[in-house]
Amino acid sequence: MITLDREYLGESVTDGALASMMEEVEEAAATLESGTGEGGEFVGWLHLPDIHDSEEYERMKEASARIRSQADCLVVIGIGGSYLGARAALDFLDGDFPVFFAGKDLSPHYLNRLLGEIGDRKVFVNYISKSGGTLEPALAFRVFRQMLEERYGPDWTDWVITTTDGEKGKLRDLTDREGIESFTVPDDVGGRYSVLSPVGLLPLMTAGVDTDRLLQGALKVREDCRQEQSAAKVYAAVRNVLYRQGKSVEILASYDPSLGSLAEWWKQLFGESEGKDGQGIFPASTIFTTDLHSLGQFIQEGSRIFMETVLWIEDDKTDVTIPSYGEDYDGLGYLEEKPLSWVNEMACLGTMAAHLEGGTPNLRILVPKANAYYLGQLFYFFMYVCGLSGYMQKVNPFNQPGVEAYKTNVFNLLKR
Ligand code: PA5
């Protein structure tokens, strides 16, 4: 089970402050679970781990087996919540089938490089858009549809699966008109809470990730989250105690680059859920020790606005032993034959102590292993904390009205 380590939190979170915040957490939990808060029609993600018992889950398994036997690679076309979860999982875990991502920006350079990398490989496309009208994936799909039509003529539809709304939207219309196989994004699940729906599961199954274990992990945490003093509730309380003391930026720090995409998923989850009505903790991320050589100075001595949450994997998949030499040419002879993972851990502990000293309280989330089971735990844990936190900050954690402003301007410019 993932657990919290509060040793480097310091004195800013007193027992009294935590206890009184826990009362707010319980109120928020009741609102979240009952679906009676703002956005309560979008709490279907609470029950997504049950998807493993559904016919749709079996159909996903068949579809992913078909993709793996028919094609050489999968291209997932989507943006925001329609790709970040799968991307996070595939950078964190080892898949055994190539999955690429398109439609997550408007960069011609990225798209051309991707097309070059794919080359002559047989491409299967999973086009994911809940609304079915998002600019970036729609334009990328035009490019891949053209490729598929050139290769397969009228049979191009055999190389595409869509994941979209069950009834409405332009992608639903195209899917039905062309007879394309499709999976549904549940009505009561918003994009950034959809990783445990077909949005995340189909690409992950195709990549060879053990989604049964992923869902088992999520189920395990779902049971735990509801308990009094659960890690999720305590984490929600701590971050809100700190927020009210002026810590308005939370840094999700990890010590392994394979967690970088998980941090991107986390940033979208918390950023779009909390950041509204003049509220919210700004979500930032760092990969240490790399970023200690760039942002470390600011975190140690700059504006005192940070709290830090460290994601720590307790048992690394692989290790490296530091080689011995006859001469101690770099002065590091005392590290000979030590595992690099131990050096990394000492760097983590030393950094947390320094940051606390400098005024940045740290919390650590201990993850026993980097596998699908614990990733499922992390996904559910963070979504639950985010739902709680949103209600504690008196915002609707399930809408994103602010996203429309830039879109309106962009479309006005494009149509001009
Ligand atoms: O969390 C969200 O709702 C958004 O980030 C969406 O996932 C993103 O904007 C993509 O939307 P769509 O799936 O409708 O293309």
Side-chain angles (χ1 to χ4, degrees):
M1 193 62 192
I2 55 172
T3 49
L4 289 188
D5 167 14
R6 291 195 261 153
E7 198 183 328
Y8 292 86
L9 209 44
E11 281 157 17
S12 9
V13 184
T14 61
D15 289 348
L18 196 60
S20 103
M21 193 60 79
M22 285 304 279
E23 289 171 23
E24 288 189 41
V25 171
E26 287 302 339
E27 269 175 47
T31 309
L32 179 67
E33 296 280 352
S34 61
T36 51
E38 266 196 283
E41 64 279 27
F42 290 108
V43 296
W45 55 271
L46 284 168
H47 311 293
L48 276 178
D50 292 328
I51 198 172
H52 67 96
D53 273 340
S54 68
E55 273 177 30
E56 190 164 47
Y57 190 64
E58 285 311 307
R59 195 161 65 82
M60 273 186 259
K61 283 195 164 168
E62 286 161 22
S64 62
R66 175 162 80 87
I67 297 169
R68 287 170 66 98
S69 65
Q70 185 178 320
D72 300 323
C73 63
L74 175 69
V75 173
V76 173
I77 298 181
I79 196 166
S82 289
Y83 98 102
L84 282 163
R87 176 83 184 254
L90 292 180
D91 284 350
F92 185 59
L93 306 169
D94 296 322
D96 60 6
F97 186 83
V99 175
F100 299 101
F101 293 92
K104 57 179 190 57
D105 52 48
L106 292 169
S107 162
H109 179 61
Y110 176 86
L111 193 53
N112 276 324
R113 269 173 64 166
L114 177 61
L115 291 169
E117 199 175 339
I118 289 170
D120 294 334
R121 283 194 257 197
K122 287 188 272 175
V123 175
F124 203 103
V125 170
N126 182 199
Y127 178 11
I128 308 174
S129 175
K130 183 175 184 188
S131 63
T134 308
L135 178 67
E136 295 89 339
L139 294 183
F141 182 64
R142 280 179 172 251
V143 173
F144 280 93
R145 177 178 171 174
Q146 182 183 47
M147 173 202 272
L148 295 177
E149 286 201 38
E150 278 167 13
R151 289 185 182 180
Y152 307 112
D155 292 336
W156 69 273
T157 51
D158 293 345
W159 296 84
V160 178
I161 288 179
T162 63
T163 307
T164 187
D165 189 276
E167 285 169 12
K168 55 185 187 305
K170 292 194 171 67
L171 184 52
R172 170 51 53 198
D173 295 345
L174 176 79
T175 300
D176 292 347
R177 199 169 56 242
E178 298 286 349
I180 297 171
E181 179 168 9
S182 178
F183 291 93
T184 301
V185 189
D187 267 351
D188 54 1
V189 176
R192 58 190 175 276
Y193 292 85
S194 68
V195 61
L196 301 176
S197 80
V199 170
L201 294 177
L202 181 65
L204 294 184
M205 278 179 190
T206 306
V209 168
D210 187 346
T211 52
D212 292 353
R213 290 295 285 156
L214 187 88
L215 293 170
Q216 281 162 13
L219 269 173
K220 174 80 182 152
V221 161
R222 181 173 78 173
E223 287 153 22
D224 181 73
C225 278
R226 293 174 162 80
Q227 309 300 318
E228 270 183 42
Q229 304 293 327
S230 67
K233 286 181 177 173
V234 172
Y235 177 37
V238 166
R239 60 197 298 284
N240 280 285
V241 167
L242 293 171
Y243 175 48
R244 290 182 200 177
Q245 291 172 9
K247 302 297 187 192
S248 57
V249 177
E250 181 179 10
I251 300 169
L252 188 71
S254 58
Y255 284 73
D256 186 328
S258 71
L259 290 165
S261 298
L262 184 61
E264 295 304 313
W265 171 84
W266 174 90
K267 284 196 277 193
Q268 190 221 2
L269 178 67
F270 280 88
E272 277 192 358
S273 300
E274 290 185 343
K276 56 199 69 156
D277 305 339
Q279 289 290 320
I281 302 169
F282 184 82
S285 66
T286 52
I287 304 287
F288 291 153
T289 57
T290 311
D291 293 334
L292 289 173
H293 297 259
S294 57
L295 294 170
Q297 169 61 36
F298 199 118
I299 297 168
Q300 191 68 42
E301 294 182 343
S303 315
R304 299 297 71 204
I305 52 174
F306 301 112
M307 62 179 99
E308 196 171 311
T309 298
V310 175
L311 262 186
W312 182 256
I313 310 295
E314 292 185 289
D315 182 2
D316 270 335
K317 277 179 280 197
T318 64
D319 217 327
V320 169
T321 303
I322 296 164
S324 314
Y325 288 97
E327 68 170 323
D328 187 11
Y329 66 92
D330 56 6
L332 295 174
Y334 59 94
L335 292 178
E336 285 179 359
E337 302 306 319
K338 293 258 188 327
L340 192 56
S341 60
W342 176 79
V343 180
N344 207 19
E345 185 171 8
M346 294 307 108
C348 173
L349 297 179
T351 304
M352 287 200 300
H355 286 179
L356 176 60
E357 182 77 25
T360 296
N362 301 248
L363 195 71
R364 206 157 57 134
I365 298 173
L366 301 173
V367 184
K369 266 186 179 1
N371 64 23
Y373 181 69
Y374 292 114
L375 181 61
Q377 293 198 3
L378 283 172
F379 277 143
Y380 199 93
F381 172 83
F382 281 130
M383 290 191 288
Y384 201 85
V385 172
C386 191
L388 294 180
S389 272
Y391 285 137
M392 292 165 78
Q393 292 168 24
K394 309 275 183 261
V395 299
N396 175 349
F398 306 114
N399 67 359
Q400 54 285 328
V403 175
E404 294 311 313
Y406 95 88
K407 284 190 190 169
T408 309
N409 284 353
V410 172
F411 278 113
N412 284 343
L413 288 170
L414 292 174
K415 285 178 187 162
R416 194 178 285 169

